[in-house]
Amino acid sequence: VQLVESGGGLAQAGASLTLSCAASTQTFSSYDMGWFRQAPGTEREFVATINWSGGRTFYADSVKGRFTIYRDNRRDTVYLKMDNLKPEDTAVYYCAGGVGSTTASRDYDYWGQGTQVTVPS
């Protein structure tokens, strides 16, 4: 399974960005998906996860109420809509796929290459 993220870039504080992650598999709807991020000098951290059907989501406290994870199983794509961006959201964002939508990166089997999001202070 290959995952390809897109949609990152430079955004001003308070602005919005939507990240996309396209999967190269016909069994995308069987996978739970997650978004993680990693800022320079820090460990990769959990951002959000969504179960295979899209009926259950979970967010890190730092993004709850500002970010929305959703998926389109017809397009084999998962999204992360990021509103009210803050400088502390600056990081490389990775999507991940696995079975069992958890907050632990070790539980995901497939990873994208990452997309940079930069929010200047």
Side-chain angles (χ1 to χ4, degrees), residues 14-38:
S16 299
L17 279 178
T18 298
L19 306 182
S20 301
C21 173
S24 64
T25 175
Q26 294 181 341
T27 59
F28 176 75
S29 61
S30 65
Y31 290 100
D32 303 310
M33 301 297 295
W35 285 95
F36 290 77
R37 66 186 182 186
Q38 187 168 20

Side-chain angles (χ1 to χ4, degrees), residues 1 12 35 42 48 51 53 55 58-59 69 72 85 93 95 97-98 114 121:
V1 177
Q12 297 303 311
W35 285 95
T42 69
N51 76 327
S53 70
F58 186 76
Y59 299 90
I69 187 172
D72 186 342
L85 283 163
Y93 283 72
C95 72
S121 56

Side-chain angles (χ1 to χ4, degrees), residues 39-50:
T42 69
E43 294 186 353
R44 190 170 298 187
E45 67 171 357
F46 166 77
V47 175
T49 185
I50 188 167

